[in-house]
């Protein structure tokens, strides 16, 4: 029997106080298997021990919310008996160590979270952050992550319809890979994970268990250092073809009434799935590991309980339905085994080779998991309006910005994804939100992922508000009603009071924005300890948003569509340059206050834009974000393959007006015959607006400033990514 030494406890990521608490709960020393189980269930990745007290403050309810946080994924009602099920999760640490498999298994894991609820996945999104383009690892990491996402999603036959890719030196040693999955189900066919009742068979389905991924959850709850690549064995290996079979088999079983509960084996594998199912159902679970399908010889109980082998599920069936379920999984050539039974003991009992290797109260793994109110320090937000050189040529600056790593076209990325499989993609990557039709109906889902980490560093509270507001704007801009969000909170070490302050302020900012915009949080993920050698990432609370469109035929896009359409700027422009792309790319500085987010203005202006789209006739809308007004107009020109003539309002200072990043703004274009109706509606709703020009054939012209052919803008915008990935030397840093 292995002796539990202080060194072994430390290797399992447990503090002295936590281990002392384990001994009190067990009334004895734990076995090695029990120590392993505690280490993963009490890890930051599984227990959220640093954030639970703050996450409880988020708004999670609305009349359309069927399932909020606490299940595998959140569920919203989208009418007609249809439900949308979605969630976003991180696979950051594994993707840095092994980018292809890390990203691929992140995609596989989030899909299982959605289809274990009874949904067929219909869309994938991702939010990716990499280090400086000049860093020696960045190109390799970009290539591996993008191939991993495409390789898994494409094989599954689920379209990847959009996302984000950003670069910053803070991610040099710790990239972020956040994956979001959206699925559709019927409201009367939603499956949960509560293993209620005693005497019910516990069944294992999917792939065999190997030794890959052992202690993956613990690794994801610790900082990196120079030796982190040695953790490669803790990265799981995925097989999308097996997952496709698993998806179809699970949906076939779900069409019966045989399932009591079902759960993905994700982080912490068999341990977390069994413990969480028993805990939620108020029952106990007894497992016999001799019956677990194994793909390696001489696997120990420790190996099997902590393995994070992919493409596996755990289910609790109604007694007597085992043969029926087994026939389904055998048909799909998947493993099926009855490996346990539910009990009324509220204990997790694990047997191996005739011996009990673990016997522990299930609540010790859930309710009794540490919950810390860590000390935090809210640092003052960055302030000030930065100076700038007024003599810098506007149109040359526009070209520079469009070609910058954070702003260049992501075509190279999304062309590696199958964006149209399933034939329901209405708007593919490149717009404000992806739009996916609810199959067989006129309805559509608008889907987006958003966050601006440089704002969050300058002001974590205001930056998190902005992430929610931008998601709300992007959904609104295509004509959908924003319904709910999932979050992915990526931060550094919560044991540092300043970092914990960023986390607290970020959660509070999300909460304030979601309450004001009636945009509840129905699930999410915390990824902490994103640091390498003590250097943390920018605070990156990514927001995944979903909205509903009644008729996809009315959806607006960012592309200019007709010559001499009127161009209107919606929202108030003060010319905010603090923390802007212009300041960073043209002036070479990251400073000043983050832009303020006035939530009543966001609500008013967005509701006005949606009203225009829903009424019909308005089909061209773009929200204004990174780079400001002129970048937004350039993107509309590029998407529509046409130009625009723009004039500045009298007295406007060109650089702040054209490149400022004030919030709550949109560009709307429409035929001149609609001008009176649109401007009257804006006035009646108290919406600030100004007509700033019209569409034109081949060039973008700013009166009194300069002009550029759209072809020249396209060369700048679409050239950087392919050149970078082909191996050309790119001296850009930020």
């Amino acid at each position: 029997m292995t002796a539990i030494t202080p060194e072994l406890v430390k290797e399992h990521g447990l503090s002295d106080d936590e281990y002392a608490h384990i001994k009190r709960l067990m009334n004895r020393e734990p076995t090695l298997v029990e120590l392993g189980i505690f280490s993963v269930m009490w890890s930051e990745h599984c227990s959220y021990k640093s954030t639970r007290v703050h996450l409880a403050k988020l708004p999670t309810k609305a009349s359309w919310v069927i399932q909020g946080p606490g299940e595998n994924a959140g569920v919203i009602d989208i009418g007609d008996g249809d439900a949308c099920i979605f969630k976003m999760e991180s696979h950051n640490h594994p993707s840095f160590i092994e980018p292809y498999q890390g990203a691929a298994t992140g995609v596989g894991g989030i899909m299982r979270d959605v289809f274990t609820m009874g949904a067929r996945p219909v869309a994938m999104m991702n939010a990716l952050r990499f280090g400086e383009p000049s860093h020696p690892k960045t190109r390799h990491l970009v290539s591996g992550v993008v191939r991993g996402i495409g390789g898994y999603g494409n094989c599954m036959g689920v379209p990847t319809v959009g996302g984000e890719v950003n670069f910053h030196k803070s991610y040099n040693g710790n990239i972020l890979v956040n994956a979001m999955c959206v699925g559709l189900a019927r409201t009367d066919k939603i499956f949960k994970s509560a293993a209620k009742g005693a005497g019910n068979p516990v069944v294992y389905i999917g792939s065999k268990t190997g030794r890959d991924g052992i202690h993956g959850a613990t690794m994801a709850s610790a900082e990196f250092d120079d030796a982190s690549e040695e953790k490669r064995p803790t990265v799981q290996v995925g097989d999308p073809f097996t997952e496709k079979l698993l998806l179809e088999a699970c949906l076939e079983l779900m069409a019966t009434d045989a399932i009591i509960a079902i759960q993905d084996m994700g982080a912490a594998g068999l341990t977390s799935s069994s413990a969480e199912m028993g805990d939620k159902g108020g029952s106990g679970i007894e497992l016999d590991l001799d019956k677990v399908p194994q793909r390696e010889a001489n696997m120990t109980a420790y190996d099997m309980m902590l393995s994070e082998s992919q493409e596996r599920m755990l289910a609790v069936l109604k007694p007597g339905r085992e043969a029926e379920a087994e026939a389904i999984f055998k048909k799909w050539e998947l493993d099926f085994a009855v490996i346990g039974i539910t009990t009324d003991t509220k204990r997790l009992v694990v047997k191996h080779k005739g011996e009990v290797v673990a016997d522990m109260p299930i609540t010790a793994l859930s309710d009794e998991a540490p919950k810390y109110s860590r000390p935090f320090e809210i640092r003052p937000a960055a302030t000030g309006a930065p100076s700038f050189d007024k003599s810098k040529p506007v149109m040359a600056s526009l070209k520079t910005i469009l070609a910058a790593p954070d702003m260049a076209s992501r075509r190279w990325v999304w062309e590696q994804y199958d964006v149209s499989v399933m034939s329901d993609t209405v708007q593919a990557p490149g717009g404000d939100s992806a739009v996916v039709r609810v199959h067989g109906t006129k309805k559509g889902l608008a889907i987006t992922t958003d966050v601006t980490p440089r704002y969050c560093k300058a002001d974590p509270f205001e930056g998190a508000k902005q992430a929610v507001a931008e998601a709300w704007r992007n959904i609104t801009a295509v004509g959908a009603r924003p319904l709910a969000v999932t979050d992915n909170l990526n931060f550094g070490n919560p044991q540092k009071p300043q970092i914990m302050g960023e986390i607290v302020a970020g959660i509070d900012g999300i909460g304030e924005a979601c309450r004001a915009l009636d945009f509840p949080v129905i699930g999410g993920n915390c990824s902490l300890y994103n640091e390498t050698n003590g250097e943390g990432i920018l605070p990156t609370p990514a927001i995944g948003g979903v909205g509903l469109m009644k008729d996809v035929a009315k959806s607006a896009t960012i592309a200019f569509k007709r010559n001499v359409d009127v161009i209107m700027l919606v929202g108030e422009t003060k010319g905010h340059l603090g923390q802007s792309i212009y300041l960073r790319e043209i002036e070479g500085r990251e400073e000043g206050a983050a832009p303020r987010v006035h939530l009543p203005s966001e609500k008013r202006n967005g509701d006005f834009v949606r009203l225009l789209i829903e009424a019909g006739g308005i089909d061209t809308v773009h929200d204004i974000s990174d780079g400001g007004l002129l970048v937004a107009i350039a993107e509309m020109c590029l998407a529509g393959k046409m130009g625009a003539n723009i004039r500045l309002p009298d007295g406007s200072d060109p650089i702040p007006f054209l490149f400022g990043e004030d919030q709550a703004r949109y560009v709307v274009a429409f035929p001149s015959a609609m001008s009176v109706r649109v401007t009257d509606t804006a006035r009646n709703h108290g919406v600030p607006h100004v007509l700033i020009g019209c569409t034109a054939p081949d060039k973008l012209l700013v009166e009194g400033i300069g002009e550029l052919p759209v072809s020249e803008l396209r060369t700048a915008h679409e050239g950087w990514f392919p050149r970078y990935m082909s191996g050309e030397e790119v001296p850009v840093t930020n």
Side-chain angles (χ1 to χ4, degrees), residues 202-206 291-293 314 326 330 335-340:
V202 176
V203 300
Y204 173 117
I205 47 186
K291 297 177 180 177
V292 170
L314 199 67
E326 182 174 14
K330 293 300 182 186
D335 279 289
F336 177 96
V338 179
I339 66 166

Side-chain angles (χ1 to χ4, degrees), residues 592-635:
R596 287 304 199 207
V597 180
H598 186 248
L599 293 166
S601 296
E602 292 282 1
K603 186 80 167 60
R604 178 196 63 208
N605 297 355
D607 287 348
F608 161 71
V609 167
R610 194 181 316 104
L611 177 67
L612 292 181
I613 298 170
E614 288 178 344
I618 300 293
D619 58 5
T620 308
V621 179
H622 193 6
D623 95 300
I624 300 175
S625 54
D626 281 351
L629 171 64
L630 191 57
V631 168
I633 290 172
E635 290 170 343

Side-chain angles (χ1 to χ4, degrees), residues 645-664:
N645 294 337
I646 303 300
R647 59 182 176 274
L648 274 62
D650 293 342
S652 299
D653 193 340
I655 289 175
F657 184 82
L658 294 170
F659 295 108
E661 296 182 6
D662 306 272
Q663 301 295 294

Side-chain angles (χ1 to χ4, degrees), residues 298-376:
N298 303 316
M299 290 192 72
T300 66
Y302 185 96
D303 292 338
M304 284 184 273
M305 289 303 292
L306 270 63
S307 168
E308 292 185 9
S309 295
Q310 296 293 284
E311 294 86 41
R312 301 180 302 157
M313 310 280 274
L314 199 67
V316 175
L317 302 181
K318 294 177 181 177
R321 306 299 292 273
E322 299 93 325
E324 177 185 357
E326 182 174 14
I328 291 171
F329 285 90
K330 293 300 182 186
K331 182 184 81 173
W332 290 99
E333 300 181 348
L334 295 166
D335 279 289
F336 177 96
V338 179
I339 66 166
I341 192 167
T342 60
T343 68
D344 59 4
T345 64
K346 296 188 178 180
R347 297 185 73 81
L348 176 63
V349 178
V350 181
K351 297 177 179 178
H352 186 226
K353 295 183 177 178
E355 294 184 7
V356 173
V357 293
D359 185 351
M360 50 215 305
I362 278 184
T363 54
L365 304 174
S366 53
D367 299 347
E368 293 293 336
K371 185 163 70 172
Y372 295 128
S373 293
R374 295 196 186 276
F376 62 88

Side-chain angles (χ1 to χ4, degrees), residues 532-592:
T532 301
N533 294 328
E535 292 295 317
I537 61 165
L538 296 180
T540 311
I543 299 295
V546 172
L548 179 65
M549 188 177 302
K550 295 177 183 176
D551 184 354
V552 294
K554 291 184 177 179
S555 68
T557 72
I558 73 170
F560 286 139
K561 296 172 183 67
R562 296 162 294 271
N563 195 23
V564 203
D565 266 10
V566 174
I567 300 174
M568 183 169 80
L569 168 60
V570 174
E572 188 176 7
T573 300
K574 296 181 179 178
H576 185 99
L577 287 176
Q579 302 298 330
S580 66
I581 287 289
Y582 180 89
L583 191 70
R584 190 179 76 189
E585 299 299 335
I586 305 304
E587 295 285 348
R589 308 196 312 274
E590 295 182 29
E591 63 184 46

Side-chain angles (χ1 to χ4, degrees), residues 55-61 69 510-515 519-522:
L55 293 171
K57 297 181 283 186
L58 292 173
T60 60
K61 298 186 186 330
I510 291 169
E512 180 168 305
C514 287
R515 278 186 288 272
F519 204 22
V521 181
I522 64 167

Side-chain angles (χ1 to χ4, degrees), residues 51 65 179 188 365 485 489 523 572 710 728:
T51 53
V65 173
D188 61 350
L365 304 174
V485 306
L489 308 181
E572 188 176 7
V710 173
E728 291 185 27

Side-chain angles (χ1 to χ4, degrees), residues 263-281:
Q263 170 91 5
D264 161 43
M265 286 194 221
L270 188 54
T271 286
S272 63
S273 55
S274 56
E276 289 172 6
M277 291 173 82
D279 178 56
K280 290 174 185 174

